[in-house]
Amino acid sequence: MKSANELKQLLYDIDRKGYPAYKGTKGSYRFGQYVLGIDHVQGDPFAAPSKLHVEVAGKVAAFPERLYDNRHKRIALQDHLTRLFARQAEKFSFQAKGSGKSGILSVTRCAQEVLERSACTVDDQTGNVTVRFEAGFPANGRSINARELIKILFEFLPKCVEQALIYKNLDGELAERVMELAEDQQCIREQLKERGLTAFVADGSVLPRESGVSSKPMKGAVRFRSPESMRVTMCLPYKGEITGMGIKKGITLIVGGGYHGKSTLLKALEMGVYPHIAGDGREYVVTDADAVKIRAEDGRSIKRTDISMFINDLPNGKDTKAFSTEDASGSTSQAANVVEAMEAGAKVLFIDEDTSATNFMVRDELMQKVIHRDMEPITPFIERMRDLYELYGISTVLVAGSSGAYFEVADTVVQMDRYVPREITETAKKAAGDYPGLELPAERAALPGCVRCPKKNQGLIHKGRIKIKTMGRDGVSLNHETIDLRYVEQLADAEQLTCLGYLVKYMEEHMLDGKANVKKLVEVLLQKIEKEGLAAVCDSSYLPGNLALPRKQEIFACLNRYRGLKM
Ligand code: ADP
Ligand code: MG
């Protein structure tokens, strides 16, 4: 490893030379308190900024072990440090001048969810803290301005490290609060299991967001208040007693007039699979970590999926036990989404009528009379809900505003009334009793079969390497193959999509052999990440700083939407 002085000397030597001479700075350098790694140098001042990292030894960073001695605490600390580093970097960004992206200094922007990210890692063995960030290497026109880079690397960066990554300089109280919240959230998650709950929404939570484009809490919102009959009390290690609405396993129906806050509640539950930062309003909204949002998704592709639980005897004679299409309808897409969620291990499904295919969800009595069961390929979800729960232990939380038919199958009915929930199970059941009952199909729902064992996509490897490009929250592409993820609603961050791109690439290059099925593949992949970290599956000379780990369920969802998957 070279010294910081050697780097400085090198920079003086290349000052005013052509931009490519910056390439020679790639490497590791020992600074006083940390090691600076220059991982990738941009090709010109207008290209994406250069990739760097700093690694502070555990002894120097000196975070007390209690702040990261289990997985959720470690992730919370990493998230906290990323935010602190970002705040420092922002102060110095563009303080060094030049053309194009000269002078940028930035790290990942974290939003409301706390995710495992490559931007910051704390090693649970050594306590070493690594932050991966970007810097625009300065130029005048296209010639190197080394003096400005010296400013960034020898003046700004040491301050960022000093102020964000060394424990003794930080607000220790705040770091403690971050750890405590992570512990409390984890405790709620564990209690859900013990108490047979699928979700918990604390009294006082703020569920609505500021706007469609901001996930910050709405100001002046009506705070959540649990119906008395559903209120549970949890005892948390730091916060102490907390009360809120406990949603039991089984079938829960959320009803109410339009605009009364039904979808807002469901959305909060969907995102409750992730921990949220303090002040978010949803930090004590916690759901079963494997829960999956189900919706209709016209146009998606489906590959050899057994949707026969819901759809049979299609007029075109297509086999629904191994159903494939490049352009699914509302109902077939939603059926595939349910079956795939089951494969991904979901024990809770979240469904909003607003985004469902009506004919997939329910068929009213009059329609049943006119169009006989034999003529209808679809067994609607309402007729399978009980089987899903009783045979396979899969609960459903369903938002419905238009059909009362669900009352009969629901275990719990909650009405949203001006943003305040009320339990109305008894009244709803009584009303349902006056109507003719639901006629269930003769056969019970069989567990979906169909073992899919993907092979390598030979056409993908173009010019010998697969290029990944992320389109924000919408999708990710591998060379020219785009995976549309717009409707995978529980992806919280574009960095999860980038990560998915890397994971699919890794699977294409190293795992798909036509023998292992999708479930096995995802399992093996996750074990590898757990053991060796994200770097192990990111075939790259360095770990990019812009990855966030998705859940297992979203890895399945991504593979299932990947049109290039060969079988
Ligand atoms: P629904 O699904 O019942 O039609 P939504 O959940 O879409 O209703 O909510 C309708 C509107 O009310 C949204 O603009 C939402 O931001 C707002 N809203 C939801 N919950 C609250 C609340 N607790 N306080 C204030 N406004 C809310
Ligand atoms: Mg709605």
Side-chain angles (χ1 to χ4, degrees):
M1 193 186 308
K2 294 189 193 120
S3 70
N5 272 334
E6 283 171 278
L7 175 61
K8 203 179 246 175
Q9 193 53 52
L10 173 63
L11 289 174
Y12 281 130
D13 293 345
I14 60 174
D15 194 22
R16 293 167 198 232
K17 290 203 171 135
Y19 205 82
Y22 264 144
K23 293 272 181 200
T25 60
K26 201 172 145 180
S28 300
Y29 304 92
R30 166 133 290 296
F31 278 64
Q33 307 229 59
Y34 56 89
V35 172
L36 167 72
I38 300 180
D39 299 319
H40 172 80
V41 179
Q42 62 201 104
D44 69 75
F46 301 90
S50 302
K51 315 284 185 264
L52 299 84
H53 73 264
V54 286
E55 181 170 1
V56 188
K59 276 202 203 92
V60 179
F63 285 89
E65 251 174 75
R66 67 169 185 284
L67 297 183
Y68 62 88
D69 61 8
N70 64 36
R71 182 183 154 83
H72 49 272
K73 285 189 197 174
R74 175 179 56 77
I75 293 174
L77 177 62
Q78 291 171 177
D79 176 87
H80 181 55
L81 298 184
T82 310
R83 291 171 199 265
L84 292 179
F85 193 88
R87 209 168 302 152
Q88 293 300 323
E90 206 172 314
K91 281 199 237 163
F92 296 113
S93 195
F94 288 117
Q95 295 294 317
K97 307 284 184 219
S99 48
K101 302 210 164 70
S102 295
I104 283 187
L105 188 60
S106 79
V107 68
T108 287
R109 279 197 107 81
C110 302
Q112 303 298 101
E113 284 79 22
V114 177
L115 306 172
E116 167 115 87
R117 295 176 190 270
S118 60
C120 174
T121 44
V122 176
D123 188 298
D124 54 4
Q125 298 300 312
T126 59
N128 289 4
V129 178
T130 304
V131 170
R132 300 176 181 81
F133 60 98
E134 296 189 329
F137 282 13
N140 294 324
R142 287 179 194 279
S143 57
I144 288 177
N145 184 340
R147 275 153 219 282
E148 291 295 295
L149 184 56
I150 288 172
K151 252 201 226 165
I152 297 177
L153 299 182
F154 290 82
E155 207 181 302
F156 304 161
L157 192 56
K159 283 190 192 139
C160 294
V161 173
E162 187 77 20
Q163 294 304 313
L165 308 181
I166 311 260
Y167 179 68
K168 69 170 169 25
N169 301 330
L170 308 189
D171 179 345
E173 274 297 302
L174 191 59
E176 214 70 30
R177 295 292 94 78
V178 166
M179 180 275 280
E180 293 172 359
L181 179 58
E183 280 284 89
D184 283 347
Q185 289 167 332
Q186 181 63 19
C187 174
I188 297 177
R189 221 177 275 291
E190 279 158 17
Q191 289 195 40
L192 288 180
K193 276 204 198 92
E194 288 160 20
R195 299 187 184 202
L197 300 175
T198 59
F200 175 80
V201 184
D203 288 321
S205 295
V206 175
L207 306 187
R209 301 294 95 190
E210 200 168 61
S211 75
V213 291
S214 160
S215 56
K216 299 235 167 72
M218 179 190 272
K219 294 187 188 81
V222 176
R223 286 177 176 265
F224 190 83
R225 200 176 72 231
S226 171
E228 205 48 58
S229 57
M230 295 176 78
R231 184 167 282 142
V232 293
T233 304
M234 293 200 181
C235 193
L236 307 182
Y238 295 99
K239 195 180 165 64
E241 262 188 16
I242 185 172
T243 61
M245 180 173 85
I247 299 182
K248 286 209 185 75
K249 285 185 181 168
I251 297 169
T252 305
L253 195 61
I254 301 170
V255 297
Y259 224 70
H260 279 254
K262 303 183 297 295
S263 298
T264 303
L265 170 58
L266 193 73
K267 194 90 224 150
L269 294 174
E270 289 165 27
M271 296 320 275
V273 299
Y274 301 110
H276 288 87
I277 52 167
D280 172 81
R282 299 168 296 181
E283 54 269 59
Y284 300 107
V285 178
V286 178
T287 57
D288 179 304
D290 295 324
V292 171
K293 169 72 178 287
I294 301 291
R295 57 167 294 159
E297 197 179 341
D298 310 34
R300 62 158 285 190
S301 73
I302 297 172
K303 283 187 198 293
R304 297 178 52 79
T305 301
D306 180 0
I307 56 169
S308 63
M309 178 191 291
F310 300 108
I311 299 175
N312 275 295
D313 305 319
L314 285 175
N316 59 9
K318 261 192 168 178
D319 180 10
T320 57
K321 281 197 178 326
F323 185 77
S324 299
T325 176
E326 283 299 320
D327 182 11
S329 65
S331 54
T332 50
S333 64
Q334 197 161 356
N337 287 350
V338 172
V339 172
E340 290 167 356
M342 289 173 76
E343 187 178 32
K347 288 291 177 214
V348 184
L349 306 178
F350 293 132
I351 304 183
D352 194 330
E353 205 184 45
D354 287 358
T355 50
S356 292
T358 310
N359 61 341
F360 172 76
M361 293 304 293
V362 61
R363 203 147 49 98
D364 78 8
E365 217 188 312
L366 187 54
M367 188 60 92
Q368 291 196 26
K369 251 188 212 155
V370 176
I371 310 291
H372 194 259
R373 193 176 276 282
D374 304 346
M375 294 301 291
E376 172 55 71
I378 303 175
T379 304
F381 188 76
I382 188 172
E383 294 176 14
R384 290 301 193 202
M385 265 168 135
R386 284 251 63 101
D387 277 1
L388 283 181
Y389 183 58
E390 281 163 17
L391 303 181
Y392 310 118
I394 299 173
S395 299
T396 302
V397 178
L398 170 65
V399 165
S402 71
S403 176
Y406 300 107
F407 289 148
E408 191 188 327
V409 285
D411 296 307
T412 310
V413 184
V414 177
Q415 179 192 354
M416 291 304 286
D417 181 358
R418 276 161 249 170
Y419 315 127
V420 178
R422 292 198 291 141
E423 199 204 334
I424 57 159
T425 311
E426 217 167 294
T427 349
K429 287 281 186 190
K430 213 175 269 161
D434 298 340
Y435 278 77
L438 194 67
E439 189 196 323
L440 290 176
E443 284 161 45
R444 303 205 75 175
L447 199 63
C450 164
V451 184
R452 302 173 299 153
C453 301
K455 302 186 293 223
K456 248 188 208 357
N457 178 342
Q458 301 295 352
L460 186 71
I461 301 175
H462 180 65
K463 291 188 211 152
R465 79 188 198 110
I466 300 175
K467 235 184 134 184
I468 297 165
K469 195 169 158 227
T470 311
M471 283 77 77
R473 231 335 249 95
D474 287 351
V476 60
S477 66
L478 283 80
N479 290 347
H480 295 295
E481 192 72 56
T482 299
I483 308 173
D484 186 345
L485 296 167
R486 258 176 302 173
Y487 300 118
V488 181
E489 295 183 345
Q490 287 166 295
L491 282 169
D493 193 299
E495 292 198 348
Q496 290 180 315
L497 282 83
T498 310
C499 189
L500 285 168
Y502 276 95
L503 299 184
V504 174
K505 172 174 183 267
Y506 182 82
M507 284 194 258
E508 276 287 3
E509 289 174 338
H510 302 280
M511 294 177 73
L512 307 186
D513 57 3
K515 291 187 200 115
N517 64 35
V518 171
K519 205 167 173 167
K520 183 81 199 161
L521 289 166
V522 176
E523 208 172 278
V524 171
L525 182 76
L526 283 171
Q527 272 166 9
K528 193 171 171 75
I529 296 173
E530 178 76 31
K531 254 215 243 113
E532 303 168 42
L534 265 178
V537 292
C538 292
D539 275 338
S540 174
S541 52
Y542 63 96
L543 179 60
N546 62 345
L547 306 179
L549 193 64
R551 293 188 308 159
K552 172 173 93 179
Q553 282 70 22
E554 277 70 40
I555 303 178
F556 273 90
C558 178
L559 284 174
N560 287 324
R561 282 158 186 77
Y562 170 37
R563 291 171 193 265
L565 196 69
K566 298 285 179 224
M567 272 182 266

